[in-house]
Amino acid sequence: MHDPGFLLEGWGAQFLDGDLDGRLDLVVANGHLHNYPHSPNQNLMPTQFFRNTGDARFAEVPASQLGAYFAQKRLARAIARLDWNRDGRPDFCVTHVHAAFALLTNRTQDAGHYLSVRLRGVESSRDALGATVIVEAGERTFSQQLTAGDGFAASNQRQLIFGLGDRTAIDQLTIHWPAGLDQTFSNVAADQELLLVEGQPRPYPLAR
């Protein structure tokens, strides 16, 4: 990742699994701090998307494969994750210094399976900040923590999306609630959005 970003000035950055293959990719918003009069327009920079290729290595995806937004240079700042259309493919939005924010919709073809999780605390805070969710599917184990501050000047949607690749079911889903309760659910189907309420004996599927 050194060479593609060396001449750019990064601000917001978020990990998300764009193709739901079970490996977190990275999106970075770039833009210079100042507008230097002797270098007009050099303060404008492209937003970058890095695909996780495995073994802790990333490869920048060309703008031609991503969409028109990535082909333009901007003074970008904050990035926040969300799934606004609730299709399981994580989207994100970007703020800019001299322009309105941009909402980027993930239209990845042939994306993998997923599980989307929303948490509601009872003994813990309602947003369940600090909760950790562990998903076991086949030989893979995925873990995510629900946090509040999620990057430069941003807070993500209170939702955890797990990319499962070709796995169509979750063997075991475990929640470590901040107040101390641990809950486990078995044989959970993939490709759905679940509401998990602290202390309740079953998950609640949310209709789209």
Side-chain angles (χ1 to χ4, degrees):
M1 296 178 64
H2 174 272
D3 292 345
F6 184 75
L7 297 177
L8 303 177
E9 185 171 336
W11 293 82
Q14 294 286 349
F15 285 100
L16 54 86
D17 190 351
D19 54 5
L20 300 175
D21 64 352
R23 297 192 294 260
L24 293 178
D25 309 304
L26 177 66
V27 59
V28 181
N30 297 299
H32 211 290
L33 180 62
H34 299 292
N35 183 14
Y36 294 106
H38 60 277
S39 300
N41 297 324
Q42 293 303 305
N43 59 326
L44 305 178
M45 299 177 180
T47 296
Q48 296 172 287
F49 190 94
F50 295 91
R51 185 174 184 272
N52 188 334
T53 61
D55 300 321
R57 300 186 68 85
F58 292 80
E60 185 177 11
V61 180
S64 59
Q65 299 179 20
L66 294 171
Y69 175 84
F70 292 88
Q72 301 295 319
K73 296 181 178 180
R74 296 175 170 83
L75 281 176
R77 290 296 186 262
I79 294 181
R81 300 191 310 265
L82 73 162
D83 180 15
W84 73 267
N85 55 2
R86 300 178 62 197
D87 65 355
R89 292 176 290 187
D91 312 306
F92 64 92
C93 58
V94 189
T95 66
H96 309 96
V97 175
H98 298 304
F101 88 99
L103 176 61
L104 283 295
T105 301
N106 186 345
R107 302 191 187 282
T108 303
Q109 299 296 316
D110 302 319
H113 298 282
Y114 73 93
L115 180 69
S116 178
V117 174
R118 294 177 181 262
L119 302 175
R120 289 292 179 270
V122 177
E123 296 298 326
S124 305
S125 67
R126 178 176 173 79
D127 285 344
L129 297 174
T132 299
V133 178
I134 300 172
V135 168
E136 299 175 50
E139 73 285 0
R140 296 289 304 276
T141 299
F142 310 92
S143 177
Q144 293 191 47
Q145 185 177 48
L146 190 64
T147 58
D150 303 293
F152 173 75
S155 184
N156 296 323
Q157 183 180 22
R158 301 286 191 259
Q159 180 181 30
L160 301 176
I161 298 177
F162 294 87
L164 302 174
D166 59 0
R167 300 161 187 83
T168 58
I170 291 89
D171 300 317
Q172 187 165 284
L173 186 155
T174 301
I175 312 161
H176 300 298
W177 296 94
L181 176 66
D182 293 337
Q183 287 185 274
T184 299
F185 304 95
S186 301
N187 301 318
V188 178
D191 300 324
Q192 61 173 330
E193 182 179 5
L194 295 179
L195 172 63
L196 303 173
V197 180
E198 185 177 16
Q200 292 296 308
R202 63 181 180 87
Y204 298 95
L206 297 176
R208 289 179 57 185

